[in-house]
Amino acid sequence: MKPALQFRLHQQLTLTPQLQQAIRLLQLSQLELEAELRQIAESNPLLEFADEVEDDEATESIEAESEYPSVETVAASSNDDGEASEWSDGGGVAETPIDFSSNSIGSSSGSRGDDDFEPQNAAPETLQQHLLWQLNLTSFNSRQHLIATVLIDALNPAGYLGEGLEAVLAALPADFNASIEEVDAVRRQLQGFDPAGVGSLDLRDCLRVQLEQFAAGTPQRDLALRIVDDELDLLARNDIARLARRLRASEDDVAAAAVLIRSLDPRPGAALDATPVEYVAPDVYALRDGSRWRVSLNPDAQPRLGLNQHYCGLIAKAHGEDASWMRGQLQEARWLIKSLESRAETLLKVAEAIVRRQSAFLDYGPEAMHPLVLREVAEEVGMHESTISRVTTRKYMHTPRGTFELKYFFSSGVSTEDGGSASATAIQAMLRKLIEAEDVRKPLSDLAIAEELQRKGIQVARRTVAKYREGLRIPTSSERQRAS
């Protein structure tokens, strides 16, 4: 075959670096976006945040004022003889006392009051740290101290030894030659630490340790110990009558013992959970304006990024590689600012489309939520479904009914008798309302709830009701009856 040249014409879509950057910024949450922009601004001198500009302007004004002191300042700094004034022997005070309030400090030093002092919260104490602190105050010998350290390290977040004593024994040095009995003896001493019950092997063990710390004369303490040792399953079912028969006690005494047991902490380690609390700041607001709902961006959630005018002015004076590099940085900065503007416009457009579709939810609550899928919003705003998915991920809307992730407003639909559809969120709200209004002595089964919803015109099967109930973390009818 003879080699030859061929020309072929075809079209191909290519993601430019600018488009890739815009897509990446679109899917970032508010905190991730700020961290990303901070990192970019550190490498690009032509980018700066608006708060940094305000700080620079404040600093320049302070320097200008300090260069030309006022007449009062000059007069106060010198006396009639040109020498510095001295304190009197009687402990005199200055004619103009210094005001240490936040306003005066801020005005005299150019700071912004309390904003300059960032809160320096101490790191939360973990369960292990809390127990090790107590361990160092005990009179354990070196062997006991090492065993206790391994036990503390093996605790799960709830404060239990989930792996058992065998795992602790295996974690000790090979030449330590400890026995299960020795490890268990140290564990029992560890259970007396604060919080009481840590280091327990199971729930029964944890509750017994806490009950034993009550005074011997505590009403129904002994009866509660008997229930924990032998009849914990009946207590979980709240079967007071059968408990009274088995323990040969009155129902009032058994009920009092049950109240005492329920006052205990089944997860003693959870009180020292070091997981930081995360707070959500809304990206958009939905507020009623007369007869319609209006959507606006949260100005505090939008990064205020701009160009550094000082470096922009240096581009014309630069030459050679420096000028080329600074022009490239300027172009990247403009692309980034344009991408942020596009992100804000897209977020606002999608939020407005969601509010138009779910205005009934904002007016009447979850039971009025309409079925909504990404495709419907994508068609309305003229974008791809993947773009809508990126916009609604980890973005939040504040409404008079609370703050919700944008994805909350999307749900599948269930057909109704009149040919329409009801959203899964609305059905879950109805299900919760039915269970809250049920007779606690005769809770509604999943089948009964399905039949009640069908009477309201919603065609839903029993297994669908069970799925929604489990999603709401509502126990079964038998479990609700036992807990009543």
Side-chain angles (χ1 to χ4, degrees):
M1 230 177 134
K2 197 171 176 185
L5 293 175
Q6 292 182 351
F7 293 96
R8 186 176 301 171
L9 185 64
H10 67 280
Q11 292 182 339
Q12 181 180 357
L13 292 176
T14 303
L15 290 177
T16 63
Q18 297 77 30
L19 184 57
Q20 292 177 3
Q21 183 185 63
I23 293 175
R24 172 172 171 74
L25 296 179
L26 191 62
Q27 65 187 5
L28 296 179
S29 64
Q30 178 183 338
L31 294 178
E32 293 172 341
L33 177 64
E34 184 175 356
E36 178 83 7
L37 295 180
R38 292 283 179 185
Q39 184 177 0
I40 296 175
E42 289 178 359
S43 60
N44 191 338
L46 279 84
L47 283 172
E48 62 182 359
F49 287 87
D51 52 355
E52 297 175 354
V53 177
E54 295 173 359
D55 292 342
D56 293 341
E57 292 176 354
T59 304
E60 291 175 0
S61 63
I62 296 170
E63 293 175 351
E65 292 176 359
S66 62
E67 185 177 356
Y68 302 100
S70 62
V71 177
E72 291 81 358
T73 306
V74 175
S77 62
S78 62
N79 54 17
D80 296 338
D81 298 332
E83 297 176 353
S85 61
E86 298 178 351
W87 293 96
S88 63
D89 295 337
V93 296
E95 295 181 359
T96 306
I98 301 175
D99 186 3
F100 288 96
S101 64
S102 59
N103 292 336
S104 64
I105 294 175
S107 59
S108 62
S109 62
S111 64
R112 293 173 296 172
D114 294 338
D115 293 343
D116 284 347
F117 299 95
E118 297 182 358
Q120 301 293 330
N121 297 329
E125 187 180 36
T126 64
L127 175 64
Q128 279 72 18
Q129 292 172 343
H130 185 62
L131 294 175
L132 288 173
W133 171 75
Q134 298 175 72
L135 177 61
N136 293 329
L137 300 178
T138 61
S139 58
F140 283 2
N141 57 38
S142 58
R143 287 182 62 86
Q144 292 173 326
H145 193 282
L146 178 58
I147 294 174
T149 303
V150 176
L151 284 168
I152 291 172
D153 188 60
L155 296 177
N156 61 24
Y160 287 87
L161 281 174
E163 300 295 332
L165 294 177
E166 291 77 7
V168 176
L169 192 62
L172 291 169
D175 57 348
F176 195 76
N177 297 325
S179 63
I180 289 288
E181 291 75 15
E182 185 180 7
V183 173
D184 190 56
V186 177
R187 181 188 68 86
R188 292 185 182 279
Q189 296 184 65
L190 183 65
Q191 286 181 297
F193 285 18
D194 176 64
V198 293
S200 299
L201 299 175
D202 52 30
L203 177 61
R204 180 176 283 104
D205 187 23
C206 180
L207 297 179
R208 165 167 272 281
V209 170
Q210 296 181 53
L211 284 172
E212 288 175 346
Q213 292 195 352
F214 285 97
T218 303
Q220 311 308 329
R221 171 181 176 270
D222 295 337
L223 184 58
L225 284 170
R226 292 172 58 192
I227 294 174
V228 168
D229 287 339
D230 304 322
E231 307 296 345
L232 200 56
D233 294 338
L234 283 179
L235 178 65
R237 293 196 292 268
N238 201 31
D239 197 341
I240 302 298
R242 185 176 295 182
L243 275 173
R245 289 194 300 269
R246 288 199 178 182
L247 299 173
R248 296 181 180 180
S250 66
E251 291 190 10
D252 292 339
D253 291 343
V254 172
V259 171
L260 180 61
I261 294 173
R262 291 193 178 100
S263 67
L264 307 176
D265 190 356
R267 294 170 52 88
L272 291 167
D273 187 5
T275 304
V277 179
E278 296 184 0
Y279 298 94
V280 172
D283 296 271
V284 292
Y285 288 101
L287 300 174
R288 197 177 232 331
D289 183 13
S291 60
R292 57 181 299 182
W293 289 93
R294 292 191 179 276
V295 181
S296 61
L297 294 173
N298 181 6
D300 296 331
Q302 304 305 316
R304 296 182 297 172
L305 200 64
L307 296 176
N308 188 309
Q309 298 302 321
H310 174 70
Y311 283 101
C312 290
L314 294 178
I315 296 179
K317 302 177 182 179
H319 302 283
E321 295 182 358
D322 293 341
S324 177
W325 180 83
M326 294 186 69
R327 290 192 188 95
Q329 296 295 310
L330 177 62
Q331 187 65 35
E332 291 182 5
R334 288 173 175 170
W335 284 337
L336 179 61
I337 294 174
K338 186 176 181 181
S339 298
L340 291 176
E341 294 175 353
S342 175
R343 178 184 185 272
E345 293 174 359
T346 304
L347 179 59
L348 181 61
K349 190 181 300 184
V350 172
E352 289 175 343
I354 292 174
V355 169
R356 282 194 294 270
R357 294 296 187 103
Q358 301 294 1
S359 59
F361 163 78
L362 299 175
D363 290 328
Y364 306 108
E367 295 183 21
M369 182 81 79
H370 293 299
L372 184 64
V373 294
L374 296 174
R375 175 177 50 79
E376 296 176 352
V377 176
E379 292 176 354
E380 181 174 345
V381 300
M383 297 179 182
H384 195 269
E385 292 181 34
S386 62
T387 304
I388 306 301
S389 178
R390 292 187 180 95
V391 173
T392 55
T393 301
R394 292 170 297 175
K395 313 296 189 306
Y396 297 88
M397 177 188 296
H398 177 76
T399 71
R401 296 191 175 276
T403 301
F404 306 93
E405 188 180 10
L406 294 183
K407 282 191 177 298
Y408 172 79
F409 298 95
F410 295 87
S411 62
S412 58
V414 176
S415 61
T416 59
E417 287 185 351
D418 57 1
S421 61
S423 71
T425 304
I427 296 175
Q428 290 176 358
M430 296 177 189
L431 187 149
R432 184 185 292 275
K433 188 175 181 179
L434 288 173
I435 292 178
E436 290 176 351
E438 69 183 3
D439 186 356
V440 294
R441 294 171 296 180
K442 295 181 179 179
L444 296 173
S445 64
D446 293 341
L447 181 60
I449 295 175
E451 293 174 351
E452 184 66 27
L453 291 174
Q454 288 175 3
R455 280 193 286 271
K456 293 183 178 182
I458 300 175
Q459 303 295 327
V460 59
R462 183 201 61 80
R463 61 180 179 274
T464 305
V465 172
K467 182 182 71 172
Y468 290 161
R469 176 182 54 74
E470 292 171 358
L472 295 172
R473 297 184 178 179
I474 298 176
T476 61
S477 58
S478 58
E479 293 174 345
R480 298 200 301 275
Q481 185 178 22
R482 295 167 190 166
S484 60

